[in-house]
Amino acid sequence: AHVGGVGAGEKDLRGWASAGVSMYHQIVPRVCPQYRIPGDELIIVSHSHGGNVVACALASGLKAALWIDIASPVRRDARMIQIYGLARQNVTHWAHLYGGSKDRWQIRGSLDLTWNPLSWFNVRRDNTFAHENRQVAAADHDDMLHVPEHMAVVTSVLEAAPIWPTP
């Protein structure tokens, strides 16, 4: 599904928030609560603007043990900063992975030209709200999803996450 893009401002946020609420209700259904996925068992992997959808779901009250956020654009407007802060409260461990200079899509997706034309000069690759930030310098926007050596970074985050019971 298309969930936003470059610089559409409030339109992007409405799309992400709507998709986030829908995600929340898929995982925590009102009608059949017995099918709910417990937060301490929920692991979410998102890519690109899907990370903003997950942030909205978590900000809406979804609970998760681990969120691996791959190449998600980091918006710096006040609404998204508030959403990131609420999201962090509802996830035990949030790992934000991002590529190097080859990943121009993450940079473009971070721009918000409708709220702040100066966002061109304030692009962040890391997300200060995440518990962990890892740059994979040789990766472009999609590499961590299909290039084995970059996928190994995702696997290492999953294995090292402080969510597993100690033996």
Side-chain angles (χ1 to χ4, degrees):
H2 179 72
V3 291
V6 179
E10 188 65 31
K11 182 179 174 188
D12 284 344
L13 184 57
R14 281 194 308 269
W16 299 328
S18 176
V21 168
S22 178
M23 178 183 179
Y24 174 80
H25 289 297
Q26 289 293 317
I27 295 170
V28 184
R30 291 182 195 169
V31 178
C32 302
Q34 69 272 25
Y35 294 112
R36 173 185 157 309
I37 301 171
D40 60 348
E41 296 177 15
L42 182 60
I43 296 172
I44 303 170
V45 178
S46 63
H47 176 253
S48 196
H49 280 299
N52 291 324
V53 171
V54 173
C56 288
L58 291 165
S60 296
L62 182 66
K63 306 278 190 216
L66 174 63
W67 172 23
I68 301 175
D69 163 24
I70 301 171
S72 293
V74 180
R75 292 281 178 97
R76 305 307 300 168
D77 59 85
R79 296 276 310 277
M80 281 309 296
I81 288 171
Q82 180 184 27
I83 288 168
Y84 294 143
L86 292 169
R88 181 184 168 109
Q89 295 173 22
N90 288 324
V91 63
T92 304
H93 188 75
W94 170 8
H96 175 71
L97 311 180
Y98 58 99
S101 60
K102 289 173 35 179
D103 186 357
R104 290 176 175 46
W105 285 110
Q106 186 206 20
I107 293 169
R108 288 182 186 121
S110 298
L111 303 177
D112 180 5
L113 302 180
T114 62
W115 283 331
N116 181 6
L118 297 177
S119 67
W120 281 91
F121 306 106
N122 190 28
V123 172
R124 293 215 44 160
R125 303 299 294 277
D126 63 327
N127 191 319
T128 56
F129 290 93
H131 297 95
E132 172 183 3
N133 282 278
R134 282 201 205 179
Q135 183 181 30
V136 183
D140 73 11
H141 196 63
D142 298 328
D143 282 351
M144 285 179 266
L145 301 173
H146 63 83
V147 175
E149 61 266 24
H150 301 315
M151 289 173 62
V153 175
V154 178
T155 302
S156 72
V157 168
L158 181 61
E159 291 171 346
I163 63 166
W164 308 111
T166 52

